[in-house]
Amino acid sequence: MGNEKRKLYCFCRRKEFGFMILCDKCYKWFHGKCCDVTKKQAEKLPFWYCIICCNLVKLEEYVSQVETNLKDSLAAVKADINRLKKENSELSTSQAELEEVKDLVKHLREENSDLKANCEKKTHEIENLLSQVSQLTEENLTLKSSCQRVREDEDLGRYFGEENLKLKADSEKIAQENKALLSQVNHLTEENLELKTNFQKVQESTDLVKQLREENFTMKEDSRKKAQEIKALVSEVEKLKKMVKFQNNPVTPRSDGNHSRKQGSRLRLSSGMSSSQPLVKRTKIYIDDEDE
């Protein structure tokens, strides 16, 4: 019993507990928790290997594959060696043939150089021919265009001939219309001459009207000036009248305090008055005053 208690299992090196699974290769027991395997999964599996055994199986498979590959490569190497031996034997027998081939190659190279020279000459000739062909094609195009123009010119000549006939008829009509227009122009020129004479007369009358207006304007200005002078003279005469009244009719006091009336007087003013009184040149004024 003591030995059984000391037994350790699995990678964790612990005692037996829970679900345990047996490796079908190394026949060792492992804990299900450590290997992430449950009882249900183990029942479904036909066999189970631990991680170490899985790696060993993979290594064995890899080694077997390497051995098979080495065997295949050795067989291929042996076959290549045999083939090379046969080729060496054939090469030893074909050295004479190689010399003949070298001579043929030299001969072919010489022929190729000659052919190249001939080809270059022919290419130059072909280029010259192509240039000539291009020139000829251009000339043909120009000839075609000129032929088309000639045809078009013929058609235009026919068309213009018909139009010339129409134009002749139209020109005759236009000549007749021109004659009628010339007669109308002559009539209009005569009317224009009459209008010019009438216009000259109207201008003369307008000039006379302008002169008369200017004269009327000057007359109006003169009349205004004379009216102003007359107004000034009238104002001076009134002043003289007052002064004469004051000198000839002095005021005398009465017993009742009233002034005596002035007697009416008729004054005659002339250019021979005294220097103290204002003068009016070349005028004679008669003033009748009523008694105030």
Side-chain angles (χ1 to χ4, degrees):
M1 294 295 288
N3 292 326
E4 289 178 358
K5 288 181 180 179
R6 290 178 182 176
K7 281 185 179 181
L8 300 174
Y9 301 98
C10 192
F11 306 108
C12 61
R13 307 306 295 164
R14 289 185 293 176
K15 295 179 181 180
E16 181 181 357
F17 63 88
F19 172 70
M20 300 292 288
I21 189 168
L22 180 67
C23 180
D24 293 326
K25 189 169 179 66
C26 63
Y27 300 104
K28 291 181 181 180
W29 291 94
F30 295 90
H31 298 106
K33 289 183 179 180
C34 294
C35 297
D36 292 330
V37 179
T38 61
K39 189 175 182 179
K40 291 180 180 180
Q41 291 175 355
E43 289 176 355
K44 292 178 182 180
L45 293 172
F47 59 89
W48 182 81
Y49 294 152
C50 65
I51 294 169
I52 295 166
C53 293
C54 287
N55 291 325
L56 289 171
V57 170
K58 288 179 181 179
L59 285 170
E60 288 175 357
E61 290 176 354
Y62 179 72
V63 169
S64 64
Q65 287 179 359
V66 169
E67 286 177 353
T68 54
N69 290 324
L70 287 170
K71 287 178 181 179
D72 293 332
S73 62
L74 286 169
V77 168
K78 287 178 180 179
D80 291 330
I81 289 165
N82 292 321
R83 184 174 58 78
L84 289 169
K85 285 179 180 180
K86 288 179 181 180
E87 287 178 356
N88 285 321
S89 63
E90 289 176 356
L91 288 169
S92 62
T93 55
S94 62
Q95 285 180 356
E97 293 177 356
L98 286 171
E99 290 178 357
E100 291 178 357
V101 169
K102 286 179 181 179
D103 294 330
L104 288 170
V105 168
K106 288 179 182 179
H107 183 68
L108 290 170
R109 284 178 180 175
E110 291 175 356
E111 288 180 353
N112 283 322
S113 62
D114 295 331
L115 289 169
K116 284 180 181 179
N118 292 322
C119 288
E120 288 177 355
K121 289 179 182 179
K122 288 181 179 180
T123 51
H124 288 298
E125 290 177 356
I126 289 163
E127 287 177 355
N128 293 322
L129 290 170
L130 289 170
S131 63
Q132 290 177 2
V133 168
S134 63
Q135 289 177 359
L136 290 170
T137 52
E138 289 177 356
E139 289 177 357
N140 285 321
L141 291 171
T142 53
L143 289 170
K144 285 180 180 179
S145 63
S146 62
C147 289
Q148 288 178 357
R149 287 177 183 175
V150 168
R151 289 176 183 174
E152 290 175 356
D153 291 332
E154 288 177 355
D155 295 330
L156 288 169
R158 292 174 184 174
Y159 177 72
F160 284 123
E162 293 175 356
E163 286 188 350
N164 284 321
L165 294 172
K166 291 179 182 179
L167 289 169
K168 285 179 181 179
D170 293 331
S171 63
E172 290 176 356
K173 290 179 182 179
I174 290 164
Q176 292 176 0
E177 290 177 356
N178 284 323
K179 288 179 181 178
L181 289 170
L182 287 170
S183 63
Q184 291 178 2
V185 167
N186 291 322
H187 182 67
L188 290 170
T189 51
E190 292 176 356
E191 289 180 353
N192 283 321
L193 291 171
E194 291 178 357
L195 289 170
K196 284 180 180 179
T197 54
N198 292 323
F199 183 71
Q200 288 177 358
K201 290 178 181 179
V202 169
Q203 283 183 349
E204 290 175 356
S205 62
T206 52
D207 293 332
L208 290 170
V209 169
K210 286 180 181 179
Q211 289 178 0
L212 291 171
R213 284 179 180 175
E214 290 176 355
E215 289 177 356
N216 285 322
F217 183 73
T218 53
M219 292 289 286
K220 284 179 181 179
E221 287 182 351
D222 293 333
S223 63
R224 284 176 186 174
K225 289 179 181 179
K226 287 178 180 180
Q228 289 176 359
E229 289 177 356
I230 289 163
K231 285 180 181 180
L233 290 170
V234 168
S235 63
E236 288 179 357
V237 167
E238 287 178 354
K239 289 179 182 179
L240 290 170
K241 183 178 175 181
K242 289 178 182 179
M243 290 174 71
V244 169
K245 284 180 181 180
F246 182 75
Q247 289 177 1
N248 292 324
N249 295 317
V251 178
T252 57
R254 289 184 182 180
S255 62
D256 56 359
N258 293 322
H259 295 286
S260 63
R261 292 184 179 179
K262 295 179 181 179
Q263 294 180 358
S265 62
R266 188 173 184 179
L267 298 175
R268 185 177 181 182
L269 298 175
S270 64
S271 60
M273 293 176 70
S274 64
S275 61
S276 63
Q277 295 176 355
L279 298 175
V280 179
K281 294 180 179 181
R282 297 179 183 177
T283 57
K284 290 181 179 181
I285 299 169
Y286 295 94
I287 300 168
D288 293 330
D289 292 331
E290 294 180 354
D291 295 333
E292 292 180 357

